[in-house]
Amino acid sequence: VADCQLEDGPKRWPVSILTSHSAIEGEAEDISPTGIVISSQQFLPPGHTFSMMIGVPNRMPLNVTGRVVWMTVKSCDNKTLRFGIGVQFLSISKRDQQVLKGQILGH
């Protein structure tokens, strides 16, 4: 799904996943023009489609519709269970695509 590390390095872009039940908070671990890997304490099953807002440094958030294509269980430490969620972008505006590409390329 993703093919580059974020410009901010160790800092992670915040991601808000909007489901019919609640908002799920996560962090972008990796991102490409076609998808994103999100780290979250919440589980999202493969095939789930949702809207999300991706916080980009010094910019308005990106509004994207995506679908979970894979999910893995991981742990950041011995106390906190986290999930890695691979998301394919289904809908993203041309403006948001340009912002995302600029961030990925470091422009």
Side-chain angles (χ1 to χ4, degrees):
V1 169
D3 63 5
C4 76
Q5 292 194 349
L6 298 177
E7 184 180 274
D8 280 356
K11 294 181 185 176
R12 307 298 175 121
W13 294 357
V15 178
S16 294
I17 298 167
L18 309 173
T19 71
S20 57
H21 305 294
S22 65
I24 297 172
E25 299 304 319
E27 298 176 329
E29 287 192 347
D30 204 0
I31 197 162
S32 80
T34 60
I36 187 171
V37 177
I38 301 168
S39 174
S40 176
Q41 292 180 332
Q42 301 281 335
F43 171 84
L44 281 174
H48 186 80
T49 300
F50 55 89
S51 295
M52 67 181 140
M53 291 178 29
I54 303 170
V56 178
N58 306 312
R59 302 248 184 202
M60 294 291 291
L62 307 180
N63 294 299
V64 180
T65 300
R67 179 178 55 235
V68 178
V69 292
W70 58 264
M71 192 279 310
T72 188
V73 177
K74 63 182 193 169
S75 181
C76 290
D77 59 41
N78 293 331
K79 299 177 185 175
T80 305
L81 182 64
R82 293 191 71 85
F83 298 95
I85 305 165
V87 177
Q88 175 187 16
F89 296 149
L90 299 177
S91 175
I92 182 170
S93 73
K94 291 208 179 281
R95 182 196 72 82
D96 286 351
Q97 281 180 330
Q98 292 302 326
V99 169
L100 182 59
K101 287 178 183 177
Q103 291 290 319
I104 290 171
L105 297 173
H107 298 121

